[in-house]
Amino acid sequence: MIKANNSTLKSWIEVPENSDFPIQNIPFGVAKHNNEVFVATRIGDTVINLYKVAKLGYFNIDAEVFISCRLNDFMLLGKQVTRDVRNEISDIFVSTNTEASNNAELQKALINNKEVEMLMPISIGDYTDFYSSEQHAFNVGCLFRDPNNALLPNWKHIPVGYHGRSSSILPSGVDFHRPKGQRKAPTDEMPTFGQSNLLDFELETAFFTYEGKPIGDSISTDEADEYIFGMALLNDWSARDIQGWEYVPLGPFLGKNFASHLSCWIVTLDALEPFRVSGPVQEPKVLPYLEYKGDKHVDINLEVAIKPENTEETIVSKSNYRYMYWNMNQQLAHHSINGCNIKVGDCMGSGTISGPKESEFGSMLEISWKGTKAVKMTDGTERKFINDNDTVIMRGYAEKDGIRIGFGEVKAKVLPVK
Amino acid sequence: MIKANNSTLKSWIEVPENSDFPIQNIPFGVAKHNNEVFVATRIGDTVINLYKVAKLGYFNIDAEVFISCRLNDFMLLGKQVTRDVRNEISDIFVSTNTEASNNAELQKALINNKEVEMLMPISIGDYTDFYSSEQHAFNVGCLFRDPNNALLPNWKHIPVGYHGRSSSILPSGVDFHRPKGQRKAPTDEMPTFGQSNLLDFELETAFFTYEGKPIGDSISTDEADEYIFGMALLNDWSARDIQGWEYVPLGPFLGKNFASHLSCWIVTLDALEPFRVSGPVQEPKVLPYLEYKGDKHVDINLEVAIKPENTEETIVSKSNYRYMYWNMNQQLAHHSINGCNIKVGDCMGSGTISGPKESEFGSMLEISWKGTKAVKMTDGTERKFINDNDTVIMRGYAEKDGIRIGFGEVKAKVLPVK
C-alpha cells in the first residue's frame, strides 16, 4: 500500500467534515498568493506552499522545481519522485509529527484557501478527448442516428478518441463568452452566422501523463499506471449547433475548441488507488493489446449543477467515473499503439460520462433529450441547454471507509456573446 | 514593397543557379553546428548563425533571442520586428555592403550548409489540419462516397478542419517506423491487429502563427496576414487502413498521429508576397466573416518524389498551392470566429493539395485511385502505397521574374514496423 493512503492518518492541520482534502489526498496544483506563484498542495482549507516547505529541507529534491507556474517540471522527475514527495508531505503534516507542527518557519508555508488564487496547473501539450462512456455513445447514437444501431461498429473494438485544442483549456473560475459561428439545422436551406443557441456542458474527467516513451514505442495496459500522474474534472463545453454542421467528415472543431474548463487540483493516481473497481465485461473480446489485468476503473462520484444568475444552483446530473467502458490503461495503450509519443503534461479527456439512469446523463443534449424535455431551476425558469450568465459547476469525489478524496470543483460562467 | 524582396538585389554570398535561397528569401530555422544550437538563416548554400550576427550589433534586438532551440521567442517579438530583422539581414548581405563582406568577425557566422544539422524550427503548441483543396476533397468523396455528391454539404461553406497531434511532428530527415494498429476492411467480419498496409503521404503546406488575440476575440480575414509568420512544407503521413476503421464519428486519430514531417526552413509570408495570386470564385457565396479582399492565394510549385532504397527517385506528383479553395486568411478567420485563441507557434496544415490533373494529385490514395492503379518506379517496381525503406521527398518553390523562393525539402524514410 502507498504509505500516504493509510486511512488511519490524521493531520495536525484542521480538516473540516466532508472536506475533499484530508491528509490522504495530497493533490498538486499551482497557486498565487501575494504575487508569488508556486506549486502547492492542500489539506482541509489550508493551501501549502511547497517551495517554502522544500526550502526548509523536507524533500530530497531541488526546491526550484516548485517555484514554477506549472506542474510540468515536477512531473518530469517521474512517478517515483512524485510519489516520494507525496509520502514525505504526509509525514510532515501527520498529527504525530510535533517537530513539524511546532516549526514556526513551516507555518509560513500555510495559507488559508480563501487568500489564494488557483492557476492553470499544467502546461498542456496535446489534448486528446476520448468517447469512452457506453451510455453516452448510445444516447448520442439514438438521438442522431438509429436507436436500433446506436453504437457504431468500431465502438466496442477501439477506445474512440480525437484530438482537441489545448490553448483554450482554462482553469476553473475563468468565465468565457458564448461562442458564435456557422449553424445549419437540417431544415435550413443555407447556413447562417450567429451565436450558438445550443451551448452545452460535457461532464468529463481528465488524466495527465508523465513523459512517455520515444516516438515509435508503445505503452502497454500493464505499464500505463506508471505514466499517469493524476486526474482532474473537465467540463468540455460544446456548441451543439456549430458542431452538428461542421463535424462530418473530420470530427468536432469549432463546436468544441472555444473553451474547456479544468479543476485546479490534480489528484494523484496514487491517492485514487483505494477506490479502484472492476469495469464492465467487454464483449466482443478486445484485441490483445487492449486486454488488461486487475481493477482499473475508479469509483468517483460526479455531479453537475447549473446556477442561474442571482439564484441557487440546481443539480442536473449525478454520474460516476466507474461507468466508463474503456479505462485509462486501455486509452493510453490504444493512443500509443501506433508509436504516437506521449509527452509530459498531455491531457486525456474521458469523454462525457453518462450513467444508465436519466438522472446520470452527463450533458444537456442527453438530459433534455435533444431539447425535447426541460429541466426546472430553483427560480422557476427552465433549461434545455445553457443560458447566458448561467454558471455550470462540476464536483467529484471518491469515498470509502470514511475517507473522502475529492477534486474540489470546476466552475465557469457563460457570458453573453462578444 | 518590402525592402528585402527587391528582385534586383544580389548577395556577396555565392548563390548557385536555381537555389531555393537567394537573398530575397531569408528564411528562418534552427541549426546545430559544433554542438551549438542557434537561430539561423540561409543564403545559397551558406547557413548564417544569427546569434553571432546579432552579437556584432547588426540588429536592434537582444541577441539572446537567437540562442534558442526554437523560433518561438523570436516570433513573440511580433511581425514588425521579424520583418525589420529580415530587412536588416538583406542589408548586411547585399553585394554593395563591402563593410560587411570585409568583416572578418561576420565571416565566423557563416557555415557551409553541409556542416549543419537542421532541427525542428518551432515549438508547436496546437496543430490544426485543414481540408481545403477542392480536388482532394472531391477525389476522396468519389473514392469513399458518391461521385455524384462527392463534396459534403458543408464543404463550400466552411474551411473544414480538425485538430491534429503536435508531439509527433518531426523535422525533415528523421526517419520513422511504419505504424501498427487496428484495421478492418469492409469485407472483414472483425478487426485485426497488425502493421498498416496502406501507408500514404499527404502533400501539404503549413503556416505558423504569431501570438494571436486573447480567448474570446476573433482574427478577421483582413487582419490575418499580420498573424502569420511564414510557411513550410508538411508531409502529413496517413495510415489509410487504420484511419478508415477509426474515423467515424470523431475524425482521424491513430491513422494520422504517428508522424508528420516538416521542412526545416520557415519561409516568411513577406518573402512570398510577390507570388500572390487570386483564388477561385467561391460559389455559393461565403458568409461575410469569410469574405476577403485582394489576392490571398500563393503560387507555389510543389512536387513529391518516392525514392526506393538503392535506386533513383521517381516524381509521383506535381501540384501547386494555388489550387487551394480556402486561403490562409479564411482559415485563420474561421478558426478564431468562435473565440478560439491562436498562440505563437501554432501549426496550420493546408490539407492535401491536389490539382485538377491526375499528375497533380497529392496522395497515393488519389494517385493509385484507392489501390487500383500502380505507379512505376525507376527500378521497375510498382507502388500503390508506400513500401518499407522508401524515402518520400517533397519540394516546393515559388518563381517569378527570375527570382525563385524555395522551401528546400522535407524528406523521411519509412522504416519497417517496430
Side-chain angles (χ1 to χ4, degrees):
Chain A
M1 193 183 81
I2 295 156
K3 187 175 165 189
N5 291 353
N6 185 335
S7 64
T8 65
L9 302 179
K10 301 274 176 200
S11 176
W12 52 264
I13 295 176
E14 189 193 337
V15 177
E17 205 175 344
N18 287 325
S19 171
D20 279 349
F21 306 101
I23 192 170
Q24 288 80 7
N25 192 338
I26 312 181
F28 293 96
V30 173
K32 187 175 178 181
H33 179 247
N34 287 347
N35 283 320
E36 279 184 325
V37 174
F38 48 85
V39 171
T41 188
R42 176 172 171 173
I43 295 176
D45 292 334
T46 301
V47 171
I48 301 166
N49 180 332
L50 292 178
Y51 176 64
K52 286 194 178 170
V53 178
K55 288 295 267 186
L56 295 174
Y58 281 105
F59 307 133
N60 284 323
I61 58 170
D62 186 354
E64 302 305 315
V65 85
F66 295 120
I67 191 84
S68 171
C69 60
R70 297 292 185 254
L71 292 176
N72 299 53
D73 294 337
F74 177 53
M75 294 161 70
L76 266 173
L77 300 176
K79 186 141 193 164
Q80 192 55 55
V81 172
T82 62
R83 174 178 287 167
D84 288 347
V85 166
R86 182 167 167 267
N87 283 328
E88 286 160 5
I89 293 170
S90 176
D91 284 345
I92 298 167
F93 296 101
V94 72
S95 53
T96 50
N97 190 339
T98 50
E99 179 279 322
S101 63
N102 291 321
N103 184 336
E105 286 302 308
L106 187 60
Q107 292 290 339
K108 293 180 185 165
L110 312 186
I111 316 156
N112 186 300
N113 179 50
K114 291 192 184 121
E115 293 171 28
V116 158
E117 180 191 354
M118 292 304 296
L119 306 181
M120 186 71 185
I122 290 177
S123 177
I124 296 170
D126 278 298
Y127 164 41
T128 292
D129 199 25
F130 287 95
Y131 185 58
S132 290
S133 149
E134 181 173 359
Q135 187 67 50
H136 172 67
F138 176 82
N139 289 346
V140 171
C142 289
L143 287 168
F144 290 99
R145 289 181 295 268
D146 173 6
N148 296 315
N149 291 290
L151 287 186
L152 286 165
N154 58 11
W155 201 89
K156 292 213 163 182
H157 295 283
I158 54 181
V160 170
Y162 68 104
H163 300 116
R165 176 93 190 166
S166 65
S167 74
S168 52
I169 302 181
L170 304 170
S172 178
V174 175
D175 302 334
F176 71 106
H177 292 274
R178 176 180 296 272
K180 48 189 186 299
Q182 281 194 41
R183 307 86 28 104
K184 182 184 164 301
T187 51
D188 294 342
E189 199 183 315
M190 292 286 277
T192 56
F193 178 79
Q195 70 168 42
S196 169
N197 292 315
L198 304 177
L199 182 62
D200 201 356
F201 59 79
E202 291 200 331
L203 171 61
E204 301 198 18
T205 61
F207 71 87
F208 298 88
T209 53
Y210 292 98
E211 183 72 10
K213 297 185 181 181
I215 193 164
D217 287 340
S218 306
I219 295 170
S220 69
T221 57
D222 281 351
E223 295 169 321
D225 285 352
E226 294 306 305
Y227 291 93
I228 300 173
F229 173 67
M231 293 180 67
L233 305 172
L234 178 69
N235 180 355
D236 195 31
W237 298 97
S238 297
R240 301 293 180 195
D241 39 3
I242 294 172
Q243 188 182 344
W245 170 230
E246 75 175 359
Y247 90 107
V248 175
L250 298 179
F253 185 46
L254 298 192
K256 291 278 191 180
N257 67 15
F258 54 92
S260 305
H261 278 86
L262 202 64
S263 59
C264 288
W265 290 107
I266 310 297
V267 176
T268 65
L269 197 64
D270 279 354
L272 294 167
E273 206 53 49
F275 309 95
R276 292 282 199 180
V277 290
S278 63
V281 174
Q282 295 186 321
E283 184 55 47
K285 198 165 172 319
V286 298
L287 282 164
Y289 80 93
L290 291 170
E291 290 173 0
Y292 66 96
K293 298 188 206 82
D295 291 344
K296 291 299 170 194
H297 286 59
V298 193
D299 182 1
I300 303 172
N301 301 290
L302 301 168
E303 69 175 32
V304 187
I306 299 175
K307 187 191 172 303
E309 192 90 321
N310 303 321
T311 186
E312 296 304 305
E313 68 175 44
T314 298
I315 306 278
V316 297
S317 176
K318 279 178 177 281
S319 185
N320 193 302
Y321 184 56
R322 68 186 301 165
Y323 292 140
M324 299 284 282
Y325 187 83
W326 301 101
N327 58 48
M328 291 181 272
N329 299 56
Q330 293 179 303
Q331 290 170 340
L332 203 51
H334 182 65
H335 203 318
S336 61
I337 191 62
N338 66 346
C340 179
N341 52 334
I342 305 301
K343 302 290 288 177
V344 66
D346 285 348
C347 175
M348 308 276 177
S350 59
T352 307
I353 304 164
S354 294
K357 295 185 210 150
E358 275 188 48
S359 60
E360 295 171 320
F361 291 175
S363 67
M364 290 304 290
L365 176 71
E366 295 160 88
I367 294 167
S368 76
W369 208 249
K370 212 175 169 181
T372 58
K373 299 178 200 179
V375 179
K376 199 150 251 169
M377 300 287 106
T378 52
D379 63 359
T381 60
E382 293 186 332
R383 293 292 180 281
K384 292 176 175 172
F385 287 92
I386 304 301
N387 285 9
D388 285 349
N389 301 308
D390 283 354
T391 299
V392 172
I393 307 156
M394 296 177 178
R395 303 186 188 93
Y397 65 95
E399 193 160 33
K400 192 179 166 187
D401 301 334
I403 302 295
R404 171 186 168 118
I405 302 292
F407 290 81
E409 63 183 20
V410 53
K411 73 173 176 182
K413 184 158 102 169
V414 178
L415 306 172
V417 73
K418 200 166 178 180
Chain B
M1 194 183 81
I2 296 156
K3 189 176 163 189
N5 290 352
N6 184 336
S7 63
T8 65
L9 301 179
K10 302 274 175 195
S11 176
W12 52 264
I13 294 176
E14 189 193 336
V15 177
E17 204 175 345
N18 287 324
S19 171
D20 279 349
F21 305 102
I23 193 170
Q24 288 79 7
N25 191 339
I26 311 180
F28 294 97
V30 172
K32 187 174 177 182
H33 179 248
N34 287 345
N35 283 320
E36 279 184 325
V37 173
F38 48 85
V39 171
T41 188
R42 177 172 171 174
I43 295 176
D45 293 333
T46 301
V47 171
I48 302 166
N49 180 332
L50 292 179
Y51 175 65
K52 288 194 176 170
V53 178
K55 289 293 267 185
L56 295 174
Y58 280 105
F59 306 133
N60 284 321
I61 58 171
D62 186 356
E64 303 305 313
V65 85
F66 295 120
I67 192 84
S68 171
C69 61
R70 297 293 184 251
L71 292 176
N72 299 53
D73 294 336
F74 177 54
M75 292 161 71
L76 267 172
L77 300 176
K79 185 139 194 165
Q80 192 56 56
V81 172
T82 62
R83 175 177 287 166
D84 288 348
V85 166
R86 182 167 168 269
N87 283 328
E88 286 159 6
I89 293 169
S90 175
D91 284 346
I92 297 166
F93 296 100
V94 72
S95 54
T96 50
N97 190 339
T98 50
E99 179 280 322
S101 63
N102 291 321
N103 184 336
E105 287 303 307
L106 187 60
Q107 292 289 341
K108 293 180 185 166
L110 312 186
I111 315 157
N112 187 303
N113 178 51
K114 291 191 183 121
E115 294 171 28
V116 159
E117 180 190 354
M118 292 305 295
L119 307 180
M120 186 71 184
I122 290 177
S123 177
I124 296 170
D126 279 298
Y127 164 41
T128 293
D129 198 25
F130 287 94
Y131 185 58
S132 291
S133 148
E134 182 173 359
Q135 186 67 48
H136 173 67
F138 176 83
N139 288 347
V140 171
C142 289
L143 287 168
F144 291 99
R145 289 181 297 267
D146 173 6
N148 296 315
N149 291 290
L151 287 187
L152 287 164
N154 59 11
W155 200 89
K156 291 214 163 180
H157 295 283
I158 55 182
V160 170
Y162 68 105
H163 300 116
R165 175 94 190 165
S166 65
S167 74
S168 52
I169 302 180
L170 303 170
S172 178
V174 175
D175 300 335
F176 71 106
H177 292 273
R178 176 181 296 272
K180 48 189 185 299
Q182 283 194 39
R183 307 84 29 104
K184 180 184 167 300
T187 50
D188 294 342
E189 199 181 318
M190 293 287 277
T192 56
F193 177 78
Q195 69 168 42
S196 169
N197 293 314
L198 305 178
L199 183 62
D200 201 357
F201 60 78
E202 290 200 331
L203 171 61
E204 301 198 17
T205 61
F207 70 87
F208 298 88
T209 53
Y210 292 99
E211 183 72 11
K213 296 184 181 181
I215 193 164
D217 287 339
S218 307
I219 295 169
S220 69
T221 57
D222 280 352
E223 294 168 323
D225 285 352
E226 294 307 305
Y227 289 93
I228 300 172
F229 173 66
M231 294 180 68
L233 305 172
L234 178 69
N235 180 354
D236 195 31
W237 298 96
S238 298
R240 299 295 178 193
D241 37 5
I242 295 172
Q243 187 182 346
W245 169 230
E246 74 175 358
Y247 91 108
V248 175
L250 298 179
F253 186 45
L254 298 191
K256 290 279 191 180
N257 67 15
F258 55 91
S260 306
H261 279 85
L262 201 65
S263 59
C264 289
W265 290 107
I266 310 296
V267 176
T268 65
L269 198 64
D270 280 354
L272 294 167
E273 207 53 50
F275 308 96
R276 293 282 199 181
V277 289
S278 62
V281 175
Q282 295 186 322
E283 182 56 45
K285 200 168 170 319
V286 299
L287 282 163
Y289 81 94
L290 290 170
E291 290 173 0
Y292 66 96
K293 298 187 206 82
D295 291 344
K296 292 299 169 194
H297 286 58
V298 193
D299 182 1
I300 303 173
N301 300 291
L302 301 168
E303 68 176 32
V304 186
I306 298 175
K307 187 193 170 306
E309 193 89 319
N310 303 321
T311 185
E312 295 305 304
E313 68 174 44
T314 298
I315 305 278
V316 296
S317 176
K318 281 179 175 280
S319 185
N320 195 301
Y321 184 56
R322 69 186 299 165
Y323 291 141
M324 300 284 282
Y325 188 82
W326 301 100
N327 58 48
M328 292 182 270
N329 299 57
Q330 293 180 304
Q331 290 170 339
L332 203 51
H334 181 64
H335 202 317
S336 62
I337 190 64
N338 66 345
C340 179
N341 51 334
I342 305 301
K343 303 289 288 176
V344 66
D346 285 347
C347 175
M348 308 275 175
S350 59
T352 308
I353 304 163
S354 295
K357 295 185 211 151
E358 276 188 47
S359 61
E360 294 171 320
F361 292 175
S363 67
M364 289 305 289
L365 175 72
E366 296 159 87
I367 294 167
S368 76
W369 208 248
K370 213 176 171 182
T372 59
K373 299 180 200 176
V375 178
K376 198 151 251 170
M377 301 288 106
T378 51
D379 63 359
T381 61
E382 293 188 334
R383 293 293 179 281
K384 292 175 175 174
F385 288 91
I386 303 301
N387 285 7
D388 285 349
N389 301 308
D390 282 355
T391 299
V392 174
I393 307 154
M394 295 178 179
R395 304 185 188 93
Y397 66 94
E399 193 161 32
K400 192 180 166 188
D401 300 335
I403 301 294
R404 172 186 167 120
I405 302 292
F407 290 81
E409 62 183 19
V410 54
K411 72 172 175 183
K413 184 159 102 170
V414 178
L415 305 172
V417 72
K418 202 169 176 177

